[in-house]
Amino acid sequence: QVQLVESGGGLVQTGGSLRLSCAASGRAFRMNDMGWYRQTPGKERELVGTISSGGISNYADSVKGRFTISRDNAENTMYLQMNSLKPEDTAVYYCNAAVYLYISGRTRDYWGPGTQVTVSS
């Protein structure tokens, strides 16, 4: 079994920065494509950006130029550096990963429990 846990959320003023982390733990697995999503009450979860196992990242237009996704494959950790934060960035942020399980030979989709980011105006 694999678990993803986000950390680094909190309260920040407009224009500030936060760095989120997503750490994976478990046995006999390999992280493939990973991504960050966010959700606000009453709205569908939306994609923030993704990063491939080779480090190629893509971003939603709403965060392009302000957010940066990176990963440390040796530590099974993904990061989301958020700069120039706006009130509309307020949401619960979730990490997602496609995980290859060596024992079963299958790839499964995993989600973290989420971390709250609040940007005050």
Side-chain angles (χ1 to χ4, degrees), residues 1-40:
Q1 188 73 354
V2 174
Q3 288 188 325
L4 302 181
V5 178
E6 304 93 342
S7 62
L11 175 64
V12 65
Q13 291 185 334
T14 296
S17 298
L18 279 176
R19 189 193 196 205
L20 305 184
S21 299
C22 171
S25 62
R27 295 176 56 196
F29 67 94
R30 183 185 71 235
M31 312 295 287
N32 291 335
D33 292 350
M34 304 181 73
W36 288 98
Y37 291 74
R38 64 188 183 185
Q39 188 171 24
T40 54

Side-chain angles (χ1 to χ4, degrees), residues 16-97:
S17 298
L18 279 176
R19 189 193 196 205
L20 305 184
S21 299
C22 171
S25 62
R27 295 176 56 196
F29 67 94
R30 183 185 71 235
M31 312 295 287
N32 291 335
D33 292 350
M34 304 181 73
W36 288 98
Y37 291 74
R38 64 188 183 185
Q39 188 171 24
T40 54
K43 293 188 176 181
E44 292 188 357
R45 192 170 295 187
E46 66 172 1
L47 175 68
V48 174
T50 62
I51 186 166
S52 69
S53 56
I56 305 298
S57 56
N58 290 283
Y59 302 93
D61 288 342
S62 59
V63 306
K64 203 171 291 183
R66 299 187 298 122
F67 290 10
T68 302
I69 299 175
S70 60
R71 62 189 290 170
D72 183 335
N73 291 332
E75 296 294 328
N76 290 315
T77 301
M78 175 178 62
Y79 304 96
L80 178 64
Q81 178 66 45
M82 303 185 293
N83 299 328
S84 303
L85 282 161
K86 305 175 182 180
E88 51 263 43
D89 295 317
T90 296
V92 178
Y93 284 72
Y94 299 90
C95 68
N96 170 260

